[in-house]
Amino acid sequence: RRSQDGAARWLAVMAAQAAQLYIPPDGELSSVTVRNEGWYPRYYQSNVTVLNNAARKNKSVKVKMIGLQGCLTYGVRTRFEWTALTEDINEGCEKEKIRVRPSWQQVEDLSELEEELEWADKRPNRIIIVCSVPSQIGNDKTIMRQVEDICQGREHVELTFSEAGNAASMLFESMSITAPGS
């Protein structure tokens, strides 16, 4: 009985977090606070885990975090998550919770991403983490699949970008986009 009560409380918290994720009306972008949305803590921790595992495997590893810049129309969360993740990873490094401090690079398009991926192949001890990718640029809704294809078979490239409909969001329903109070 006690474990059922705990599970019920946990589900209530997750449901409350899910209600916080919404697309603001035009002109209200300042109200997007990704750190308060249910998906962000999982996304942040997945990046921390990959960074710490890289350092565990190789103490002299060099890591570059890469994000694909989204368009201004559809890339709202991508813009905010990039800034938040950069700040939060740097803070984690300062507090010694993250064992390797990455460099950061935003690319404008997929061809520039391909060029950056070559950095990891040029020398040993290099890893790229593609951590921020918009789901859509212009009318193209296949951006994330294209990034996966570009990175396919690259041993020194990790993908940590998050998307609605992934396993965690399906299980916990914390990435659905709803208006507050709906």
Side-chain angles (χ1 to χ4, degrees), residues 19 31-33 41 57 67 72 75 93 102 107 133 136 139-140 149-150 155-156 167 175 178:
S31 65
V32 175
T33 53
K57 292 175 184 177
L72 297 176
C93 291
V107 297
V133 176
Q136 180 175 349
N139 293 326
D140 190 346
D149 290 344
I150 290 168
E155 185 178 333
H156 304 290
M175 288 182 71
T178 58

Side-chain angles (χ1 to χ4, degrees), residues 98-124:
I98 300 174
R99 295 181 197 104
V100 59
R101 184 171 183 219
S103 61
W104 299 86
Q105 177 72 40
Q106 262 194 320
V107 297
E108 292 184 24
D109 56 41
L110 294 172
S111 63
E112 191 178 343
L113 173 63
E114 287 188 75
E115 291 172 21
E116 286 296 324
L117 295 179
E118 293 174 16
W119 174 86
D121 296 330
K122 288 185 178 177
R123 291 198 180 138

Side-chain angles (χ1 to χ4, degrees), residues 6 10 18 33 36-37 45 58 68 98 120 123 126 131 177:
W10 183 80
T33 53
N36 294 333
E37 295 179 1
Q45 186 58 46
N58 180 348
L68 179 61
I98 300 174
R123 291 198 180 138
R126 290 182 175 181
C131 59
I177 298 178

